[in-house]
Amino acid sequence: MEPLCTFYLENYFLAVDALRVQEVLRHHPLTEVPLAPPTVRGLMNLRGQIVPVLDLRSRFGFSPMPAGRKAFNVLLRQPDGLVSFSVDRVADVIEVPAEEFEPIPETLQGEGRRLLKGAYKLDKRLLLVLDADRAMDVASY
């Protein structure tokens, strides 16, 4: 079984490897970074540690989050430290059988397609697995 941390962007149900997730936070104050790409929402001071926050809505080519709504942060560990993905809302940690992993459906198009690894067909919906390393690669954007 593969543990996945799930969340939503628009109507898409997405996941990352739960073993890479340090924690999930509600909206957190950010410091803007002048001249940064639009994907970089800012920097978060997390208990003295500076964490870059990447806007997955921007990475997927979605419009900015509507005014008044607050994003959630999914903090992932990587060798250089933490990186936060700004997402619409978080869901649960679920376990899925690794053997049921499938390629990305051909019907799924758009900028976000290249950020995905594949999918799982759940009972009532499709779970898209994010390639977190590719999503963090701001230079390729």
Side-chain angles (χ1 to χ4, degrees):
M1 298 295 269
E2 183 177 3
L4 297 171
C5 176
T6 61
F7 54 91
Y8 290 90
L9 276 181
E10 295 271 337
N11 293 325
Y12 292 96
F13 188 45
L14 296 154
V16 292
D17 179 0
L19 299 177
R20 289 186 66 180
V21 175
Q22 174 170 307
E23 62 188 293
V24 174
L25 300 171
R26 291 186 179 268
H27 176 73
H28 201 86
L30 301 178
T31 300
E32 290 186 26
V33 180
L35 305 176
T39 298
V40 178
R41 289 198 68 215
L43 300 173
M44 169 193 307
N45 184 340
L46 180 68
R47 297 178 287 272
Q49 183 177 3
I50 303 303
V51 178
V53 178
L54 304 180
D55 185 355
L56 284 186
R57 290 183 67 88
S58 175
R59 291 291 279 160
F60 275 77
F62 299 147
S63 59
M65 183 173 280
R69 287 186 55 195
K70 305 248 184 213
F72 285 80
N73 293 286
V74 178
L75 284 88
L76 282 85
R77 292 181 213 96
Q78 63 167 10
D80 300 340
L82 293 173
V83 171
S84 176
F85 286 151
S86 176
V87 303
D88 291 3
R89 60 187 167 105
V90 292
D92 292 318
V93 173
I94 64 172
E95 290 191 338
V96 292
E99 63 274 8
E100 294 182 13
F101 186 74
E102 297 183 12
I104 304 164
E106 290 299 324
T107 55
L108 187 63
Q109 300 296 318
E111 295 180 39
R113 181 178 174 84
R114 63 187 172 92
L115 302 175
L116 300 172
K117 287 182 173 177
Y120 288 97
K121 290 179 185 167
L122 304 179
D123 286 341
K124 296 179 181 174
R125 57 188 163 185
L126 187 66
L127 175 63
L128 302 171
V129 179
L130 182 71
D131 184 332
D133 293 323
R134 195 171 296 155
M136 289 181 203
D137 185 7
V138 177
S140 70
Y141 181 65

